[in-house]
Amino acid sequence: EGGESPYSYYWSNGSTSESLTGVSAGTYSLTVVDNANCFITTSLTLSPPEPPIVALPSIPTLCPSDTITVSANEGMSAYAWSTGANTREISVYAPGSYSVTITAQNSCTASASFNVSQYPNIDVLPETDYYFCPGEMLTIEASGFLSYYWSNGTNSSTFNTPMEYTFWVRAYNGICYYYDTLTTHKYPRPTIELGADTRFCEGDSVR
């Protein structure tokens, strides 16, 4: 403060306005001259804004039929995912490559990409259709998993039913749950044709 107005401003980049705007990072000097031709010189350094750093969580391997949630940094002004989403979080249900670009409050941007892998799909049952004779019980012995749950309420590896129906089964191998369906069918009852009654005498044979 002090000096006689009006004041004149001389910036090292040639600007003569009181404020310095629209310039890049760097060091600039300013000379202020008052009405009595007294002057003072100072300088300032403008640092570039810090770009954000994309912070993504550890990406787990995807189980078949499952979905994982991937979240980017909090507090950003904009998000742009390769899926087209513009929210902080996205749901991922398929393996592949993904990317996100975040925009900070200072308008600086940063991008990051990540890969999602998936455990292989495993058939719980070797067949989808099972046949059994009328009046009998169908028994299926499943194997290869730690636990099972069938749609009829059974929670063991052995499945029994006397019904024709479509059932589902959920199996767990210690990492993922796997699902399968089975349809049970009864074989048609055979029709026995013996022909017309035949009379024969004692001691004779019939062909």
Side-chain angles (χ1 to χ4, degrees), residues 12-207:
S12 56
N13 69 339
S15 174
T16 56
S17 62
E18 183 177 357
S19 300
L20 188 64
T21 59
V23 295
S24 58
T27 299
Y28 299 86
S29 63
L30 168 65
T31 299
V32 181
V33 181
D34 69 2
N35 193 47
N37 284 326
C38 294
F39 66 91
I40 186 172
T41 298
T42 188
S43 64
L44 75 159
T45 299
L46 300 178
S47 300
E50 290 292 330
I53 298 175
V54 180
L56 294 174
S58 175
I59 307 298
T61 301
L62 189 65
C63 285
S65 304
D66 277 1
T67 300
I68 59 174
T69 299
V70 181
S71 304
N73 310 41
E74 288 186 302
M76 298 294 105
S77 62
Y79 303 87
W81 298 85
S82 55
T83 61
N86 55 10
T87 54
R88 178 176 169 249
E89 297 180 342
I90 63 167
S91 296
V92 176
Y93 54 88
S97 297
Y98 298 84
S99 64
V100 61
T101 298
I102 59 174
T103 303
Q105 301 298 332
N106 60 10
S107 298
C108 292
T109 63
S111 299
S113 60
F114 58 96
N115 292 315
V116 176
S117 57
Q118 185 180 57
Y119 290 107
N121 202 2
I122 304 173
D123 290 331
V124 179
L125 301 172
E127 307 289 340
T128 57
D129 292 277
Y130 290 83
Y131 295 83
F132 63 107
C133 294
E136 295 185 357
M137 181 78 71
L138 172 67
T139 299
I140 298 174
E141 293 286 349
S143 62
F145 292 86
L146 298 179
S147 64
Y148 298 85
Y149 183 80
W150 306 79
S151 56
N152 70 344
T154 302
N155 57 6
S156 70
S157 60
T158 302
F159 174 79
N160 296 295
T161 182
M163 300 171 52
E164 286 185 305
Y165 199 66
T166 296
F167 300 91
W168 56 260
V169 57
R170 183 188 68 200
Y172 182 62
N173 68 348
I175 300 174
C176 296
Y177 286 95
Y178 294 87
Y179 300 84
D180 214 339
T181 60
L182 67 148
T183 302
T184 60
H185 310 271
K186 291 182 180 180
Y187 289 115
R189 289 184 179 272
T191 301
I192 302 176
E193 295 291 343
L194 297 178
D197 292 343
T198 301
R199 295 181 183 274
F200 62 97
C201 296
E202 185 177 354
D204 290 344
S205 60
V206 178
R207 294 182 179 179

